[in-house]
Amino acid sequence: MTGKQIMITGGTSGIGLAAAEALAALGENIVIVGRNETRTKIAAARIRATAAKGATVGTLIADLASQGAVRNLAAEVLGRYPRVDVLINNAGAMYTTRQVTNDGIELTWAVNHLAPFLLTTLLLDRLKASTPSRIITTSSEAHQGADIPFDDLIAEKSYGGFARYKQTKLANILFTSELARRLTGSGVTAHCFHPGLVASGFNRNNGLLMNLAMTMLWPMSRSVEKGAETLVWLATSADVVKTDGGYFVDMEWQPPSPQGQDVQAAQRLWEISEAQCARSSTEARR
Ligand SMILES: NC(=O)c1ccc[n+]([C@@H]2O[C@H](COP(=O)([O-])OP(=O)(O)OC[C@H]3O[C@@H](n4cnc5c(N)ncnc54)[C@H](OP(=O)(O)O)[C@@H]3O)[C@@H](O)[C@H]2O)c1
């Protein structure tokens, strides 16, 4: 895999940054996506410091909460990168307060599910032209026990920060399985994974109490480097291609929750996500 072009969202912090550093050290060419120019430049400098000789490190800026920004990002990638060998949809967050984006989408859903969905579908032809290529999405064991609220996709009827986060991590798994099904025989594979409980910047955006709770969890949490291990393995190992559509924990395939294995829900989610993205595109043109 050495020298492949790897694109990673959420590359400014935590698991994404640690994975980018490890992959650059292996000689892969990295482009990180960040939403803040300064943080993105600082992260890129860190990655360059560990990169193997000849490995390139690029940056792209996009706030993944905005569907327009995701579309601009995809257009920039198509203009700048003739190959995308690995797309890593890693950026994600939890929000204890319900917020709605300018596209009218609940924020957690927009960042954690619709952004990877839209970015991947917009880059699919480039990934198909770069085979053998891979799409990896960072999910979580937090998906256990969640259902997709098909009757309340923008979480108007009920909202809880963690409950909503769990739904989006289930969406990552269903998206991956449906994506793999649609890509069968194309030479593009799709996988997702749980990184473990990781001492990262996660949930530091939700006020003092949540910050304190995360600090208390640090002794039980693994390092970002350990959290990135399965991601690096999914991006580089030759064994991975045989397990298309799978969910991985600590470099081992694991069955997700029963809801994560629901093929009909995966198909329905795909269609609904397409409709949500189409709506935001139409509204942007008005
Ligand atoms: N930490 C855990 O225990 C854990 C467990 C299971 C799964 N995960 C998953 O792991 C992934 C990475 O999280 P992490 O733990 O590494 O947390 P993190 O340190 O907070 O990193 C999250 C990354 O996502 C980016 N991001 C968030 N919102 C964004 C937006 N609107 N537009 C663009 N980028 C955005 C952040 O950018 P900024 O630097 O600009 O904030 C950051 O680079 C997430 O998908 C998360 O759900 C984490």
Side-chain angles (χ1 to χ4, degrees):
M1 289 291 286
T2 306
K4 299 272 185 201
Q5 185 59 59
I6 300 184
M7 174 175 172
I8 177 160
T9 69
T12 51
S13 167
I15 297 157
L17 175 55
E21 287 181 300
L23 289 164
L26 290 173
E28 311 294 9
N29 299 316
I30 305 294
V31 55
I32 56 165
V33 180
R35 62 181 153 169
N36 172 285
E37 208 152 334
T38 307
R39 276 203 299 278
T40 309
K41 273 188 190 158
I42 292 169
R46 265 184 64 169
I47 300 162
R48 279 189 198 106
T50 63
K53 202 165 169 250
T56 62
V57 181
T59 60
L60 291 164
I61 305 296
D63 182 345
L64 300 173
S66 156
Q67 295 255 293
V70 175
R71 286 194 181 87
N72 292 341
L73 169 66
E76 205 177 339
V77 172
L78 295 177
R80 269 170 62 173
Y81 295 95
R83 294 186 65 83
V84 179
D85 299 288
V86 185
L87 168 63
I88 301 174
N89 292 307
N90 166 75
M94 182 174 87
Y95 306 95
T96 46
T97 310
R98 181 177 181 270
Q99 296 165 66
V100 177
T101 70
N102 290 338
D103 301 307
I105 299 160
E106 187 282 315
L107 182 59
T108 332
W109 190 258
V111 174
N112 294 7
H113 168 59
L114 274 193
F117 178 86
L118 182 59
L119 184 61
T120 303
T121 49
L122 291 173
L123 296 181
L124 220 42
D125 285 343
R126 186 57 46 89
L127 284 148
K128 284 179 186 167
S130 312
T131 54
S133 52
R134 303 172 184 205
I135 300 160
I136 305 161
T137 303
T138 308
S139 179
S140 172
E141 271 297 278
H143 81 277
Q144 296 284 352
D147 291 288
I148 301 294
F150 285 110
D151 62 338
D152 187 25
L153 279 180
I154 57 169
E156 277 178 310
K157 292 182 194 161
S158 81
Y159 185 87
F162 190 52
R164 185 57 165 171
Y165 175 73
K166 286 164 70 69
Q167 293 167 357
T168 63
K169 293 290 124 179
L170 172 63
N172 292 154
I173 292 171
L174 293 173
F175 161 64
T176 299
S177 68
E178 177 64 11
L179 181 62
R181 196 184 67 77
R182 286 171 182 248
L183 288 172
T184 305
S186 69
V188 188
T189 56
H191 295 95
C192 61
F193 76 103
H194 167 60
L197 176 63
V198 180
S200 64
F202 186 76
N203 199 18
R204 297 280 176 180
N205 55 310
N206 289 311
L208 205 64
L209 272 180
M210 280 295 175
N211 241 302
L212 195 66
M214 292 315 285
T215 305
M216 285 165 72
L217 281 175
W218 274 48
M220 280 90 86
S221 307
R222 48 177 66 177
S223 68
V224 288
E225 290 77 18
K226 180 77 186 159
E229 256 178 29
T230 301
L231 176 50
V232 171
W233 176 77
L234 286 170
T236 56
S237 165
D239 299 337
V240 167
V241 278
K242 296 174 212 144
T243 52
D244 205 8
Y247 171 70
F248 287 81
V249 183
D250 289 338
M251 290 176 274
E252 284 191 6
W253 178 85
Q254 275 200 16
S257 66
Q259 293 92 327
Q261 299 174 49
D262 185 337
V263 175
Q264 279 177 352
Q267 287 171 357
R268 191 173 171 200
L269 176 66
W270 187 281
E271 283 155 21
I272 280 175
S273 306
E274 264 180 346
Q276 283 188 302
C277 293
R279 209 170 305 132
S280 73
S281 168
T282 312
E283 270 158 30
R285 278 199 296 272
R286 276 198 193 132

